[in-house]
Amino acid sequence: MKTFFTSCPAIIHDPPHVLADIIHQGHPIPPKHFRLEIDHDGIAWITFDSPKSSVNVWNEETLREFNHLLETIEHDTRVRALVLRSAKDRIFVAGADIKAIRNMQNVRVNELIWLGQAVFDRLARLKVPKVAAIHGACMGGGFEVTLACDWRIASDSDSTKIGLPETQLGILPAWGGSTRLPRLIGVRKALDLITSGKLLNASEAKRKGLVSHVVPPERLDTLARRLVRGRKPVFRYRFENLLSPVIGFMAERKVREKTRGLYPSVTKAVEVVTDAVHGDIENGLLLERNAVAELIKSHDSARLIDLFFKREEASKRPAASGTALPIHDATVIGAGVMGAGIAHTLASRGVRVLMTDVSNDSLARGLERIHGLVSDATRRRLVTKVQARDTLDRISTTHVPVPMNRQHLVIEAATESMDLKKKIFADLAARVSEDTILATNTSALSVAELAKTVPHPERVIGLHFFNPVHRMPLVEIITLPETSADVLATAVSFVQKLGKTPVVVKDSPGFLVNRILVPYLMEAVRLHESGIPVKDIDEAMLEFGMPMGPMRLLDEIGLDVAAHVAKTLADAFPDRFPHTDALDKLVSAGHLGKKTGQGFYRYEKGHEVADTSHADLPRHESIQTNLALLISQEAMRCLKEGIARNADDIDLAMVLGTGYPPFRGGPITFARDTGIIDY
């Protein structure tokens, strides 16, 4: 059996004719995206620095340029080593130019895969020592080029994130990532990274073997110079890779249990990685090419790529008008689950936070929650101990009224009671300056009614964070007709600074996500009342692609909370949100869901007690059709009423806020593609 360390042919066999010219006979192109410098020690420094752009990406132009630089190095007898680096502040290489790929025909995508494989293979075969000095985001093709180097070293900057997220776009790493990574770190770890698409910080990347050294950014060049003067690292065959068929079988079973076969890119990645680890490199590259050629044809990949761009745009797009002011200090009113979660998120992103509540006991419980979140993130190596300490240092607390005239932003996160929130807002009005932004974290209550309690209602806005705050990427920004353009611009910029995705919506009962979600949940309850078992309803929607069935979701939310939101919407839309007694009966009996151990399911020590009932599979399709139709219908109503700015925002909000199946593109895209309702 040939392996990575045996002899290999000089170049990938039989590339298409158009790429043979690019790789072999192409004329030198004056580099626009790279700088090549050869120093007195014979080290060739290739610096990736795309002009007029804050990012570096791989496309046909940059791959051609890089290829010609490699050819130059091959023929320059002065060169004794190569270092690849980036001139960008926060980006090493962001990966392939997904925007260009989206607009390509499939045959052109296949040619681009050929080109990337050939160029990176050329880099791998260079006989001189090679170092990739990673500073900033190093994702997808950005990481795959480093796998063709002998050493990968990384800066300890917060901006350094390393990984292969291609399966999140419905494809898989095909520029050598699926072939070289398992040879580097072993099949088991490689499968975990590739199938999850997770991005790692520098310290976690080192722990998993993706990089060999982590140093401050200013020491990267010095370390690179030292490494190339020594011996190349010895390739170590991973004996666990001999068991790749067994590991792959277990991984595929686990993936199918988790995804129910709805994400072909993930199952295909398991197949490719476990096969590509054997034989020579070109065999693995062939497997990668064939897999991507198959996956790129699917509608799922197109929807996932479109969704990626919707999220990218929303995460970076400023408000249409107004001036965004920087927020350095904020107050969070309430130290409960949501208040503590919001305070933790703000502090972890560099905002100084004052968290207040009515008693020291409440604050102590809130701080305990925050310490738990920070400890968990540290244990999982998502943050360093220094970052954890800095997060906690930014949080102060008080249970007595204090002046807040210097606070830029106050976020009220008290219990969902209009009377309580009005009282808090009236009190705040006397203690903040006239230009302090007053925000409420509410899931359904009227922001307009709250705004009436304070002078200058143009500075009142809703910031609806989702639970758990540190994990959920969506924030609904609720606006009023009188909301100041500067306040909205500041809120959008602030949410983006937190690493969240903002979706701007109008003040309306349930806003956007809950407005669409509640009819779906209440119809699920009605189906159960009609005699359909809880398990059947949940299994049907898991097969549709939802991350959790509606009945289980109600238990997680809390039946008392769900009943409150449902009543709010039933009062606002009595003709379309019929009230059901089932939730009220359960709440009256003290069965509030998971938190009390009893809801639609029964729980012991926080875990569901196994149900021995069997699902009725033939009934699942009709349940799916019924419930999916309700979601799309309500989404279309929200679009027609102008609750959100456009269909893209609605689709994005439902995917990020509820876990609506990303491969379906969102409820409006699903309606358009399937024709279940008139789009």
Side-chain angles (χ1 to χ4, degrees):
M1 181 176 66
K2 296 172 79 175
T3 58
F4 181 46
F5 45 79
T6 61
S7 59
C8 295
I11 193 69
I12 299 172
H13 288 172
D14 303 323
H17 176 71
V18 65
L19 293 179
D21 288 340
I22 293 172
I23 297 169
H24 299 302
Q25 286 85 32
H27 296 292
I29 301 171
K32 295 188 302 183
H33 301 271
F34 298 89
R35 296 193 301 273
L36 172 60
E37 304 162 277
I38 303 174
D39 66 18
H40 62 278
D41 291 325
I43 301 175
W45 300 83
I46 295 181
T47 306
F48 202 160
D49 189 14
S50 289
K52 300 178 182 179
S53 174
S54 60
V55 300
N56 297 323
V57 294
W58 292 119
N59 51 36
E60 186 172 336
E61 182 180 15
T62 55
L63 285 168
R64 283 187 183 191
E65 282 189 22
F66 188 58
N67 180 63
H68 283 297
L69 290 177
L70 295 178
E71 185 176 15
T72 299
I73 291 170
E74 285 174 345
H75 293 93
D76 193 323
T77 57
R78 296 174 298 161
V79 176
R80 299 183 180 278
L82 168 63
V83 178
L84 178 61
R85 59 187 179 179
S86 166
K88 303 301 183 187
D89 290 336
R90 301 183 63 81
I91 299 287
F92 178 71
V93 185
D97 186 348
I98 302 298
K99 193 170 292 186
I101 290 175
R102 181 174 61 167
N103 297 325
M104 284 181 179
Q105 294 180 339
N106 288 344
V107 65
R108 295 284 293 122
V109 174
N110 292 335
E111 290 173 355
L112 187 66
I113 297 300
W114 267 104
L115 176 59
Q117 287 190 346
V119 173
F120 293 177
D121 193 65
R122 186 174 207 163
L123 172 63
R125 295 174 193 279
L126 278 179
K127 298 187 183 303
V128 299
K130 303 171 290 289
V131 177
I134 302 167
H135 171 64
C138 176
M139 302 179 290
F143 181 52
E144 287 178 287
V145 71
T146 74
L147 289 170
C149 295
D150 301 303
W151 292 273
R152 285 150 302 283
I153 60 177
S155 78
D156 59 6
S157 168
D158 292 349
S159 65
T160 298
K161 301 292 181 185
I162 301 172
L164 296 169
E166 284 90 340
T167 54
Q168 305 299 301
L169 301 178
I171 51 178
L172 52 75
W175 280 340
S178 298
T179 299
R180 292 190 173 99
L181 185 61
R183 296 166 190 252
L184 176 69
I185 65 172
V187 169
R188 198 185 309 272
K189 289 181 183 177
L191 283 174
D192 177 55
L193 287 169
I194 291 172
T195 58
S196 67
K198 67 178 69 168
L199 299 178
L200 308 178
N201 60 27
S203 63
E204 182 70 356
K206 180 183 177 184
R207 190 177 76 87
K208 290 188 178 293
L210 277 65
V211 299
S212 59
H213 299 74
V214 175
V215 295
E218 60 272 13
R219 289 180 52 197
L220 279 175
D221 288 357
T222 303
L223 175 60
R225 186 180 297 276
R226 178 170 64 82
L227 289 173
V228 297
R229 287 173 177 167
R231 289 187 174 184
K232 286 186 181 182
V234 178
F235 176 77
R236 297 179 182 177
Y237 185 77
R238 302 278 176 174
F239 287 101
E240 75 166 54
N241 292 350
L242 292 172
L243 301 175
S244 67
V246 176
I247 296 171
F249 173 78
M250 295 174 64
E252 183 174 357
R253 187 171 66 179
K254 184 178 178 181
V255 161
R256 288 193 179 277
E257 286 176 359
K258 186 175 181 180
T259 68
R260 295 177 177 252
L262 296 171
Y263 292 86
S265 62
V266 182
T267 51
K268 181 62 72 173
V270 174
E271 176 187 325
V272 171
V273 169
T274 52
D275 288 347
V277 76
H278 301 298
D280 54 32
I281 288 290
E282 67 175 351
N283 173 65
L285 298 180
L286 174 63
L287 293 171
E288 292 179 0
R289 291 195 301 274
N290 291 343
V292 168
E294 177 185 332
L295 292 169
I296 203 71
K297 298 175 185 177
S298 73
H299 292 297
D300 291 359
S301 178
R303 294 190 195 105
L304 288 167
I305 290 173
D306 281 344
L307 196 64
F308 167 81
F309 281 108
K310 291 172 186 177
R311 185 171 182 179
E312 283 286 292
E313 183 186 2
S315 298
K316 297 174 182 176
R317 176 183 60 205
S321 61
T323 301
L325 302 176
I327 301 291
H328 302 297
D329 297 89
T331 294
V332 175
I333 309 294
V337 172
M338 291 304 295
I342 294 169
H344 164 258
T345 296
L346 269 58
S348 67
R349 289 288 175 157
V351 180
R352 292 184 294 270
V353 181
L354 173 64
M355 184 170 68
T356 76
D357 211 310
V358 294
S359 71
N360 273 329
D361 288 344
S362 299
L363 290 170
R365 288 191 293 271
L367 284 173
E368 186 178 356
R369 291 189 185 96
I370 293 171
H371 276 274
L373 293 171
V374 171
S375 297
D376 182 62
T378 306
R379 179 180 55 80
R380 295 167 59 199
R381 291 181 170 83
L382 301 176
V383 299
T384 65
K385 290 182 179 179
V386 172
Q387 291 169 330
R389 181 200 64 199
D390 289 346
T391 295
L392 295 174
D393 285 349
R394 294 188 191 104
I395 300 174
S396 58
T397 62
T398 181
H399 71 283
V400 297
V402 294
M404 297 182 185
N405 54 311
R406 292 189 178 182
Q407 293 291 303
H408 304 119
L409 170 70
V410 177
I411 303 175
E412 168 273 313
T415 306
E416 284 284 273
S417 162
M418 179 60 77
D419 289 341
L420 175 59
K421 289 180 183 287
K422 281 183 175 181
K423 183 179 178 181
I424 291 171
F425 264 59
D427 174 65
L428 284 174
R431 294 192 286 128
V432 300
S433 65
E434 294 181 354
D435 57 357
T436 298
I437 298 174
L438 298 179
T440 177
N441 177 67
T442 176
S443 56
L445 297 178
S446 169
V447 178
E449 191 171 342
L450 273 177
K452 294 175 184 176
T453 64
V454 299
H456 305 290
E458 68 277 2
R459 42 106 175 244
V460 174
I461 202 162
L463 291 178
H464 179 205
F465 291 83
F466 290 74
N467 188 36
V469 179
H470 67 292
R471 288 184 185 167
M472 296 297 286
L474 179 69
V475 177
E476 287 181 323
I477 299 180
I478 302 103
T479 64
L480 306 174
E482 59 267 34
T483 300
S484 157
D486 288 350
V487 168
L488 176 56
T490 300
V492 168
S493 175
F494 177 67
V495 170
Q496 291 168 340
K497 175 185 175 181
L498 298 179
K500 304 291 188 184
T501 302
V503 171
V504 178
V505 301
K506 290 183 179 178
D507 183 37
S508 178
F511 311 129
L512 180 64
V513 170
N514 283 335
R515 159 83 180 269
I516 297 171
L517 190 64
V518 166
Y520 158 75
L521 295 177
M522 293 304 102
E523 177 63 11
V525 174
R526 191 195 66 77
L527 290 174
H528 176 51
E529 285 184 299
S530 71
I532 299 177
V534 165
K535 205 73 172 178
D536 273 8
I537 298 168
D538 278 354
E539 281 295 313
M541 296 316 293
L542 288 170
E543 289 168 7
F544 179 74
M546 298 296 277
M548 187 179 292
M551 312 307 284
R552 176 69 180 270
L553 179 58
L554 284 164
D555 276 359
E556 291 284 338
I557 294 171
L559 303 190
D560 51 339
V561 175
H564 171 75
V565 176
K567 185 178 186 308
T568 300
L569 288 168
D571 291 343
F573 307 101
D575 55 328
R576 289 190 295 100
F577 287 74
H579 188 65
T580 172
D581 292 332
L583 286 183
D584 292 338
K585 290 177 181 176
L586 286 168
V587 171
S588 298
H591 298 161
L592 308 184
K594 189 174 182 180
K595 59 189 173 185
T596 61
Q598 180 72 54
F600 290 106
Y601 292 93
R602 193 162 57 85
Y603 305 86
E604 290 181 3
K605 297 181 180 179
H607 297 286
E608 177 190 335
V609 177
D611 189 348
T612 57
S613 64
H614 297 282
D616 183 358
L617 297 180
R619 187 161 46 189
H620 284 187
E621 186 175 347
S622 63
I623 295 172
Q624 287 177 15
T625 302
N626 184 4
L627 295 179
L629 175 63
L630 273 174
I631 294 174
S632 290
Q633 283 179 330
E634 202 62 36
M636 289 297 298
R637 289 192 183 100
C638 288
L639 179 63
K640 291 176 181 177
E641 294 173 22
I643 301 300
R645 290 181 290 195
N646 51 47
D648 286 352
D649 278 4
I650 294 175
D651 279 345
L652 184 62
M654 289 303 292
V655 170
L656 298 184
T658 71
Y660 190 93
F663 70 91
R664 299 190 187 276
I668 293 182
T669 295
F670 178 68
R672 179 195 65 206
D673 290 349
T674 60
I676 60 169
I677 55 177
D678 185 19
Y679 178 72

